Amino acid sequence: MTRTLSAPVTVAFDYTRSTGPVLGRFLTGLRDATLVGGRTSEGQVVVPPPEFDPVTHAAIEDFVEVAPTGTVTSWTWVPEPVKGQPFDRPFAFALVTLDGADAPLLHALDVSSPDQVSTGMRVQVRWAAERVGAITDIACFEPVAGLDGVEDGAGGPDRARPQPRDEAATEQSRSTDVTGVVTPVSLDYQYAASPEESAFYRGLNEGRIVGQRCPACQKVYVPPRSACPADGTPTAEEVEVAQTGTITTFCIVNVPFLGQKITPPYVSAYVLLDGADIAVLHLILGVPADEVRMGMRVKAVWKPREEWTYSLENIDHFEPTGEPDADYESYRHHL
């Protein structure tokens, strides 16, 4: 049996959002080493402040500054941290009710063993050395020596009496309030190719483009499928297709984005390879973007052999062959 291929894959992007006036105020406070909560219609102080009241659904407008100390109301131990967590060593996640607040905030607690954590223990914020207006401006919570044993939910002796702020500094910071956040999002997983896909990728590593033919409808699929999507018949016959084809449809990319390797404008197009019945999406170069058109005949341009892997990226791009355009009737059924 032919061994199937697998490879690690990372899907990542930067999630960008505007904060609005409520979360923006909370994040601006974090940047300035201040904790801001919102008071609900029932008189409870919640940190971070909700954008809308949970009972009346009105926008939150009553903001309260709370203390950077609080009480652990619940916790869980993390014996094996994973990528992206606050520490690369064991730690605890804890729900902490800050002094002056009525609802707990979830964050990391820096202790070396679960024996050092207990419900009711007193903790304080450890601020990040550089603050930018993000929840990570709170590096973690850490124990406050000598203040354990406070009655659960009591919030400690300084409850509702937060530290005063410099009003001049407050006015100055308002001109640079946090209005947006960019959060990297990443997912790592192991992709296992099917036997048919493995044959396709092995072909690319040999400089060939391989598909599978459906025995019922005779359509050739590139990349191959384990079964024909039209009639469900398993595909078994391997077919090598040509490295020339026809552009069936295309898009001119004019908008720059993070990680872009080519300066716009450029063209991404679906290319129907000769001998295939389904088009593949790829890059079109070697021709001005405004001259690309449906029906244009193109050919694969491969990267240098030493750069080949088991990937469709072995084909660097497609470029015009110089042949006359294909007749519309020859590819219209594939649109």
Side-chain angles (χ1 to χ4, degrees):
M1 178 181 292
T2 304
R3 182 179 63 87
T4 58
L5 300 176
S6 65
V9 177
T10 298
V11 179
F13 66 95
D14 286 341
Y15 175 71
T16 304
R17 65 157 287 181
S18 58
T19 59
V22 176
L23 293 180
R25 187 162 184 166
F26 170 70
L27 295 175
T28 300
L30 293 183
R31 186 199 61 195
D32 299 336
T34 301
L35 294 160
V36 176
R39 194 186 307 276
T40 70
S41 60
E42 296 182 331
Q44 290 197 327
V45 176
V46 181
V47 181
E51 295 183 277
F52 299 95
D53 189 279
V55 176
T56 67
H57 312 300
I60 293 293
E61 296 180 344
D62 186 4
F63 297 98
V64 179
E65 204 170 298
V66 301
T69 53
T71 304
V72 173
T73 60
S74 183
W75 60 276
T76 185
W77 185 247
V78 183
E80 297 180 2
V82 298
K83 179 182 176 182
Q85 289 189 325
F87 297 104
D88 58 3
R89 60 183 187 276
F91 68 99
F93 272 123
L95 286 170
V96 177
T97 302
L98 295 165
D99 299 338
D102 298 283
L105 170 71
L106 177 67
H107 214 297
L109 174 61
D110 186 11
V111 288
S112 58
S113 78
D115 296 336
Q116 297 178 333
V117 193
S118 63
T119 299
M121 73 181 292
R122 296 284 292 163
V123 295
Q124 63 186 8
V125 169
R126 180 194 300 163
W127 294 103
E130 296 184 6
R131 298 186 300 277
V132 296
I135 191 62
T136 49
D137 289 350
I138 301 176
C140 63
F141 283 94
E142 58 188 5
V144 177
L147 290 180
D148 291 353
V150 176
E151 181 182 348
D152 185 24
D158 295 323
R159 192 176 196 274
R161 289 194 288 118
Q163 296 296 318
R165 288 187 67 192
D166 184 338
E167 290 302 322
T170 300
E171 288 300 320
Q172 183 178 6
S173 70
R174 283 175 182 165
S175 63
T176 57
D177 285 352
V178 176
T179 58
V181 292
V182 179
T183 304
V185 178
S186 178
L187 173 65
D188 298 321
Y189 66 96
Q190 188 77 13
Y191 176 75
S194 68
E196 294 77 18
E197 290 173 318
S198 296
F200 171 69
Y201 292 126
R202 285 195 176 90
L204 290 170
N205 195 45
E206 298 167 357
R208 303 183 301 126
I209 305 176
V210 175
Q212 295 278 125
R213 189 193 308 278
C214 171
C217 66
Q218 297 300 302
K219 289 184 176 180
V220 175
Y221 296 101
V222 180
R225 320 287 178 85
S226 300
C228 176
D231 52 45
T233 306
T235 58
E237 181 186 354
E238 185 177 293
V239 178
E240 183 175 349
V241 300
Q243 299 186 14
T244 55
T246 302
I247 293 178
T248 60
T249 187
F250 65 94
C251 170
I252 299 178
V253 180
N254 289 297
V255 180
F257 55 84
L258 186 66
Q260 199 169 35
K261 298 179 181 179
I262 301 173
T263 302
Y266 61 90
V267 175
S268 292
Y270 277 99
V271 177
L272 180 65
L273 296 169
D274 300 336
D277 290 280
I278 189 169
V280 295
L281 180 65
H282 219 295
L283 176 68
I284 306 297
L285 295 178
V287 59
D290 59 0
E291 293 183 15
V292 174
R293 56 195 178 274
M294 294 172 63
M296 175 178 277
R297 295 284 295 162
V298 292
K299 62 183 178 181
V301 178
W302 294 71
K303 292 180 178 179
R305 178 67 182 85
E306 60 271 16
E307 297 181 19
W308 289 1
T309 61
Y310 297 94
S311 170
L312 188 58
E313 291 185 359
N314 290 357
I315 299 175
D316 184 73
H317 63 274
F318 282 81
E319 65 180 25
T321 63
E323 302 173 86
D325 288 0
D327 182 81
Y328 176 70
E329 291 299 320
S330 67
Y331 66 85
R332 70 181 183 88
H333 297 294
H334 305 286
L335 297 177

